[in-house]
Amino acid sequence: MESDTEYEWMDDASCRGSTELFFGPPHEKLAAKQDREQAAKKVCETCVCIEECLDYAVKNKFRDGVYGGLDETELRRLIRNDGKKK
């Protein structure tokens, strides 16, 4: 069982409270999605939690949204490669 302290890093995440930036609406147009993902990645660039966030996404096999500075395509590729960046 996971402890509450395992997720304490989320309290310090730069994205806290910005869900709409990191997760697009259904049927989002490609250009809007790319713009949103680029904006989300900019937030990730300066976040002190970027590594924990990416580890969390890979561990839980999250394939939607932006986590740890990676978009959905990059996350799926990383998860497919068992968490090893190539």
Side-chain angles (χ1 to χ4, degrees), residues 47-67:
C47 184
V48 297
C49 304
I50 193 168
E51 290 180 30
E52 291 92 339
C53 182
L54 185 56
D55 289 344
Y56 174 70
V58 171
K59 176 182 173 184
N60 291 288
K61 297 185 182 340
F62 293 152
R63 292 175 165 84
D64 297 315
V66 174
Y67 287 90

Side-chain angles (χ1 to χ4, degrees), residues 21 30-40:
L21 184 60
L30 181 59
K33 179 179 180 174
Q34 291 171 333
D35 289 346
R36 180 185 51 75
E37 288 177 339
Q38 283 306 108

Side-chain angles (χ1 to χ4, degrees), residues 2 8 13 16 19 23 29 38 51-52 70 82 85:
E2 298 165 345
E8 283 182 358
R16 189 176 170 105
T19 305
F23 301 94
K29 298 214 182 281
Q38 283 306 108
E51 290 180 30
E52 291 92 339
L70 299 185
D82 292 324
K85 292 183 179 178

